[in-house]
Structures are given as C-alpha cells and as structure tokens.
Amino acid sequence: MDKKTYNYHVAHFVTSAPDIRHLPVDSGIEVAFAGRSNAGKSSALNTLTNQKSLARTSKTPGRTQLINLFEVVDGIRLVDLPGYGYAQVPEEMKIKWQKALGEYLQMRNSLKGLVVLMDIRHPLKDLDQQMVQWAVDVELPVLILLTKADKLASGARKAQLNMVREAVLPFQGDVQVEAFSSLKKFGVDTLRQKLDFWFNEIPPEVVEDEEGPEE
C-alpha cells in the first residue's frame, strides 16, 4: 500500500474537552502535542497547519486548559493537550490538568504518537521527562521538538540538539529529537514527515470509511 501524505493546512477545530470522557469516539488515529505552557506549542501547531489562529497563542502561558481536537481528514486528528508546569496557576487546577493529561496518555486507544515541545534553551525539565517516560511506558513513539531554535546560533543549537539526543537514550524508547523554529520555519518538514509516518498506520475501518463501501 502506498504511503499517504496529508495536507495539514486543511486541519480544522473539532471540539474542546476537559477530560477524555468528553472526547469523541475513541477511533481513528490521534497524535498529541504536549509541552510546558511556554514551550511554543500553539505556535508550532499554527506553523504546521499554516493557520495563524488554529491553536490560540497567548501572552499568558497556561491559558490552554482543555484538550483541543483538530481534524485533518476523517479519522485523522491532531490533539493540543493542556500546557503543563506554569507556576501562576492555582495548585488545584494544576492537579486537574495533570490528571486529564495522564488519563489521555494512558487510556486513549487512538493515540499513536506524542510530540513533546521544549524550549531549546531549557530542555528536559522534570515534567518534560515525566511526559516522555509516560509515553515510553505505554510504548508510544515520541518526537521531541526543541522549539525557539532560532534563538541560538547554529553552533550552540547543534550542541543542544546533541546533548538532548544523548540525554534521552536512557529512556530506551522510540524517542526522536529535532530542532524546530516556528519563526524561521525549520523542522516543519521533519514534523510533517513524522506525522505522515504515524498516520499511515491507519486502522482498516478508517480506510474503508474514507474510500466508501465497495460496490
């Protein structure tokens, strides 16, 4: 079967949910985007889809309090998870977010890949490592995007990239690390290729639905 490439520019908002019980039916394929509240997650989604406001960016990190779903084609979805680790949020809300994140990562069967975004200048904070460990524990492949890579000169950028690649080896999972910049648009093609790879593991029922029933 030929590998399909997807046009992420046509992605559109489907729904927001406070937890997995409010999400649509658990079928098809989802790839989730996770990261600290100031990691540039919304900017990365907007750059990927070439839409300025698909995922809302905010001057105040931590505004994304819901699980947001965007559909590329029928049964193929991108998921914007609540940002984590921002200090100026009430403790009760942090706990609620963390629970929603944990449930989604561990119980959502249609989840087939996780993109974890980290500021290239401050990678692998405790919660970032916890997120990667969660994914490895449930055998979920991970793409780490080191965002805001344009903030570093090329030598420093390469050094950080190599350092993080070395640092994730002990996780012993399917973890790929790449540099990314929403501003300069580098790393976007790598992200698209990885998403295409994950989305090509389409369950047969989704392919049939897409092509329609046979005559």
Side-chain angles (χ1 to χ4, degrees):
M1 191 173 110
D2 290 337
K3 295 290 183 188
K4 188 170 181 179
T5 57
Y6 291 91
N7 178 10
Y8 297 100
H9 296 176
V10 301
H12 59 277
F13 175 75
V14 178
T15 190
S16 293
D19 53 51
I20 61 171
R21 284 167 287 285
H22 293 84
L23 288 174
V25 176
D26 192 359
S27 65
I29 292 185
E30 292 175 358
V31 170
F33 286 65
R36 294 174 65 82
S37 299
N38 55 356
K41 186 161 49 72
S42 298
S43 297
L45 276 163
N46 290 339
T47 300
L48 167 70
T49 60
N50 201 28
Q51 298 183 43
K52 286 183 180 174
S53 56
L54 181 77
R56 292 196 185 115
T57 55
S58 172
K59 296 285 184 197
T60 308
R63 285 278 171 83
T64 307
Q65 301 171 21
L66 301 168
I67 299 170
N68 296 302
L69 263 64
F70 307 98
E71 194 163 68
V72 181
V73 296
D74 190 30
I76 299 294
R77 294 179 295 275
L78 304 171
V79 183
D80 185 11
L81 294 175
Y84 54 82
Y86 190 62
Q88 294 178 22
V89 171
E91 193 63 32
E92 189 181 337
M93 193 175 285
K94 276 192 203 170
I95 292 165
K96 194 175 171 186
W97 288 0
Q98 199 160 352
K99 188 181 175 199
L101 280 170
E103 283 184 341
Y104 176 80
L105 290 169
Q106 292 166 346
M107 297 167 67
R108 187 75 171 168
N109 293 323
S110 51
L111 179 63
K112 300 298 181 192
L114 183 67
V115 181
V116 181
L117 297 98
M118 308 174 192
D119 187 322
I120 193 167
R121 298 162 299 176
H122 316 287
L124 294 173
K125 300 280 190 186
D126 287 349
L127 288 171
D128 296 326
Q129 294 191 49
Q130 184 180 334
M131 186 65 65
V132 174
Q133 190 63 61
W134 260 344
V136 169
D137 287 347
V138 294
E139 299 184 340
L140 195 65
V142 177
L143 172 63
I144 292 175
L145 292 183
L146 299 177
T147 61
K148 309 182 187 182
D150 53 278
K151 303 276 189 189
L152 298 180
S154 60
R157 185 163 64 232
K158 192 169 182 182
Q160 278 292 86
L161 181 59
N162 289 336
M163 182 274 287
V164 176
R165 283 176 172 166
E166 188 93 6
V168 300
L169 291 176
F171 286 107
Q172 297 184 322
D174 181 353
V175 183
Q176 180 180 340
V177 185
E178 302 292 342
F180 186 89
S181 168
S182 294
L183 188 66
K184 300 290 186 185
K185 305 286 191 287
F186 57 75
V188 181
D189 286 342
T190 303
L191 173 58
R192 286 196 188 109
Q193 287 163 13
K194 193 68 168 179
L195 292 173
D196 286 346
F197 177 76
W198 285 336
F199 285 138
N200 270 291
E201 299 172 27
I202 304 176
E205 66 267 23
V206 176
V207 177
E208 285 166 17
D209 288 345
E210 218 174 60
E211 294 175 353
E214 290 182 8
E215 296 297 329

